[in-house]
Amino acid sequence: MSKTAQTVWNNCLEFIKDNIQPQAYKTWFEPIIAVKLTDNALSIQVPSKFFYEWLEEHYVKILKVSLTKELGEKAKLVYIIKMENTYGNKQPFTEKIPSSNRSAVKSQEVDIPLKNKNPELRNPFVIPGIRNVKIESQLNPNYSFENFLEGDSNRLARSAGLAVAAKPGGTSFNPLLIFGGVGLGKTHLVHAIGVDIKDKYPEKTVLYISAEKFTQQYIDSVKKNNRNDFIHFYQIIDVLIIDDVQFLSGKTGTQDVFFHIFNHLHQNGKQVILTSDKAPVDMQDIEQRLLSRFKWGLSAELQTPDFETRVSIVKNKLYRDGVDMPDDIIDYVAKNIKSNVRELEGAIISLIAQSSFNKKEVTLDLARIVVEKFVKNTKREVSIDYIQKVVSDYFQMDVSTLQSKTRKRHIVQARQLAMFFAKKFTKASLASIGSQIGKRDHATVLHACKTVDNLTSTDKQFKKYVDDITKKLSV
Ligand code: ADP
Ligand code: MG
């Protein structure tokens, strides 16, 4: 029987499978595709450059042994790196495949001699502010499970958190992704998990970090040329908590490195905990392969708490601060501040402060004034989603119509208005506005803003649209 790339590779896989951990096999070998066999060289396609680096660093020996068994002493392995759009042409080494061999997959071929590189040990990466030897967890002990009050809105997320804390890395909730709107307790809950783990397993290395800080560290490491140390540092963590991963959207370099770290941790049974302001399906500009990783474990939503939960959160806060407050006031505040626990707490703190400052009892009148201030302030935060909703409602169309590719004039105008208001009322970049409003590029958004400016000064009807929508967005 003549040998084909597939049969040779299948035999290699069989051998490899018997010799490494099942999880590692799944992660690093199942995604590989055998592409071709020429004489003694087998070409395999790997999903990314990281993948190739990883195989080279960890599995080159077993690859060599298995391939030599199949193809003899002169066996050679050729990696074909499937290019992800995001890599562009950043890769330093290229050896073009002759065009006749080019398949539909855009790829780069890298010819690697099969020798064990025996990677040297590197110093642990030092994060500014974190001591060299002992890794500080960066956890806030005030954010505990005990004072994370349970309600229908958070029951699933809270119990998943407890399960993870009891057996970090040992449940199917890996990664655990907690998502939900602003001020609903994501940060609190993931700290609570970390704190609980530290309590139960003091020897485990737990690290809490915001995605923003993670990104900054990564950028610094690239500048300082110690990207590998950065990766290495994160790979020794037992429980990695990354807050607000939506921050990674559009940041392909950081996403790549996180993907790499994630795979390593996951494969070694380490726990990853993430938070995001959106469900994975709604995340924009996050690479597909990363999103699919997020979906491996459990995504649990924190919803807005119902009235009873809001009341118990307020009471708990008052109790901890040793303050008494009449029930009707608590009810009033909890009834009127609905969508954000942080604001609920803020209103209560503000009430306590005012009453102690004026040495007065908290009255319902005072509560009214304070609540009004809070409710008003929050209205000022306009999101791009909200703008799209308001604009499409105004023109009586669905948001999906507004985002569609159609060139129908009234829909194009609505879309341009949404872009214009997103520019005006949010801090988002043109590129980010474009990607959120129907996946357009920054030039389209810029053009939209100019068009709206022009039409506003030349077309009365159009000016009325702008004024009407401005009013709707400002209340
Ligand atoms: P997010 O990260 O989702 O924006 P945070 O975790 O910062 O929200 O929570 C905002 C505030 O609300 C924090 O002070 C937190 O302690 C409090 N909080 C949120 N949910 C609860 C809850 N279920 N019980 C008690 N406090 C809560
Ligand atoms: Mg938060």
Side-chain angles (χ1 to χ4, degrees):
M1 192 185 85
S2 76
K3 286 181 171 167
T4 65
Q6 196 59 54
T7 55
V8 168
W9 182 237
N10 284 347
N11 291 342
C12 290
L13 283 182
E14 228 166 87
F15 176 79
I16 292 167
K17 197 173 190 172
D18 281 344
N19 284 286
I20 66 174
Q21 296 289 325
Q23 179 81 40
Y25 178 80
K26 243 180 120 142
T27 309
W28 299 107
F29 290 93
E30 280 185 0
I32 296 175
I33 300 167
V35 178
K36 68 175 178 205
L37 182 68
T38 35
D39 302 331
N40 51 359
L42 174 71
S43 303
I44 57 171
Q45 182 190 298
V46 297
S48 69
K49 187 175 156 227
F50 274 138
F51 222 96
Y52 138 69
E53 286 174 353
W54 190 266
L55 290 170
E56 268 298 287
E57 209 170 307
H58 297 86
Y59 299 110
V60 75
K61 230 176 178 166
I62 195 162
L63 277 166
K64 181 174 177 140
V65 172
S66 64
L67 203 60
T68 312
K69 269 175 45 163
E70 290 301 306
L71 300 175
E73 278 305 317
K74 287 194 179 141
K76 256 180 79 177
L77 185 65
V78 177
Y79 293 92
I80 299 176
I81 298 173
K82 182 170 172 216
M83 297 250 294
E84 321 248 345
N85 297 336
T86 54
Y87 284 117
N89 46 18
K90 274 181 280 177
Q91 293 182 58
F93 43 87
T94 27
E95 192 189 288
K96 288 266 158 57
I97 320 172
S99 58
S100 60
N101 287 347
R102 228 174 236 284
S103 59
V105 186
K106 207 172 150 205
S107 54
Q108 272 186 340
E109 223 172 72
V110 189
D111 197 354
I112 290 114
L114 277 173
K115 65 172 183 354
N116 194 352
K117 281 197 289 195
N118 196 12
E120 65 205 89
L121 278 175
R122 299 175 182 108
N123 295 329
F125 182 68
V126 189
I127 292 191
I130 298 179
R131 284 281 171 69
N132 197 344
V133 188
K134 194 167 152 280
I135 295 169
E136 295 286 344
S137 293
Q138 314 289 314
L139 291 165
N140 179 348
N142 295 324
Y143 283 155
S144 64
F145 273 115
E146 206 179 26
N147 56 36
F148 188 81
L149 292 226
E150 185 170 344
D152 287 344
S153 56
N154 61 36
R155 191 160 289 120
L156 172 68
R158 194 176 185 279
S159 355
L162 281 166
V164 164
K167 264 173 89 183
T171 67
S172 53
F173 307 153
N174 199 10
L176 174 63
L177 172 70
I178 308 285
F179 69 94
V182 186
L184 292 182
K186 301 181 293 291
T187 299
H188 184 143
L189 182 54
V190 294
H191 272 280
I193 301 170
V195 169
D196 202 20
I197 292 175
K198 261 317 223 190
D199 215 39
K200 293 196 172 92
Y201 306 91
E203 79 289 354
K204 282 204 191 290
T205 315
V206 179
L207 182 71
Y208 167 90
I209 188 152
S210 67
E212 185 170 4
K213 204 158 166 198
F214 179 84
T215 304
Q216 199 51 53
Q217 287 176 358
Y218 172 64
I219 293 170
D220 287 349
S221 80
V222 172
K223 270 193 206 135
K224 295 197 186 112
N225 221 347
N226 57 6
R227 182 170 165 280
N228 282 337
D229 295 343
F230 171 86
I231 294 173
H232 191 90
F233 171 83
Y234 276 95
Q235 285 176 342
I236 59 172
I237 305 240
D238 296 315
V239 178
L240 178 61
I241 305 171
I242 303 201
D243 204 358
D244 291 319
V245 291
Q246 76 275 0
F247 186 83
L248 300 182
S249 68
K251 305 194 172 59
T252 50
T254 317
Q255 286 180 35
D256 278 347
V257 84
F258 177 56
F259 180 74
H260 193 45
I261 292 166
F262 177 91
N263 283 338
H264 180 91
L265 294 178
H266 194 267
Q267 175 194 338
N268 287 289
K270 305 300 171 66
Q271 180 72 44
V272 178
I273 302 167
L274 310 165
T275 79
S276 161
D277 66 352
K278 293 186 196 66
V281 285
D282 297 323
M283 288 186 199
Q284 309 256 1
D285 295 325
I286 300 269
E287 283 179 49
Q288 210 46 50
R289 56 182 185 155
L290 204 50
L291 285 183
S292 85
R293 293 296 190 273
F294 291 174
K295 291 175 197 156
W296 275 2
L298 176 77
S299 309
E301 182 171 12
L302 287 180
Q303 293 162 330
T304 48
D306 55 26
F307 176 70
E308 279 73 30
T309 313
R310 298 202 295 277
V311 169
S312 45
I313 291 173
V314 170
K315 287 198 168 151
N316 180 259
K317 171 99 192 117
L318 291 169
Y319 174 76
R320 275 186 290 138
D321 290 355
V323 179
D324 260 339
M325 200 173 283
D327 277 349
D328 58 334
I329 305 235
I330 296 175
D331 280 10
Y332 180 80
V333 176
K335 211 170 254 154
N336 286 283
I337 300 187
K338 296 179 197 148
S339 58
N340 185 325
V341 180
R342 189 177 298 131
E343 277 161 12
L344 190 60
E345 287 188 340
I348 291 294
I349 292 166
S350 170
L351 271 179
I352 299 171
Q354 300 227 21
S355 77
S356 62
F357 189 70
N358 302 323
K359 300 223 167 15
K360 273 201 308 218
E361 277 264 299
V362 180
T363 61
L364 209 48
D365 275 340
L366 182 58
R368 272 202 197 98
I369 295 169
V370 167
V371 164
E372 201 170 292
K373 241 182 14 212
F374 268 89
V375 174
K376 252 211 198 102
N377 282 340
T378 58
K379 283 271 165 60
R380 297 245 26 106
E381 273 180 39
V382 211
S383 69
I384 295 180
D385 284 346
Y386 182 67
I387 291 171
Q388 295 188 77
K389 174 103 184 47
V390 168
V391 173
S392 9
D393 281 355
Y394 182 78
F395 290 110
Q396 293 173 347
M397 60 178 74
D398 293 332
V399 173
S400 59
T401 310
L402 178 135
Q403 293 183 340
S404 69
K405 300 274 178 234
T406 176
R407 320 240 2 121
K408 284 199 188 113
R409 197 176 126 87
H410 71 289
I411 298 173
V412 173
Q413 275 193 350
R415 191 160 57 232
Q416 290 181 326
L417 279 164
M419 289 174 175
F420 169 83
F421 283 112
K423 183 73 202 127
K424 187 164 167 183
F425 285 131
T426 74
K427 292 194 192 80
S429 67
L430 292 172
S432 148
I433 293 171
S435 86
Q436 291 182 62
I437 305 184
K439 296 210 164 53
R440 305 305 207 280
D441 61 13
H442 81 282
T444 310
V445 180
L446 195 61
H447 175 71
C449 294
K450 283 188 187 145
T451 308
V452 171
D453 273 337
N454 285 339
L455 286 176
T456 312
S457 53
T458 54
D459 180 337
K460 268 212 182 110
Q461 178 59 48
F462 194 84
K463 180 163 183 329
K464 183 165 164 8
Y465 295 158
V466 174
D467 291 344
D468 285 353
I469 298 169
T470 305
K471 250 184 234 139
K472 282 188 193 298
L473 288 171
S474 318
V475 274

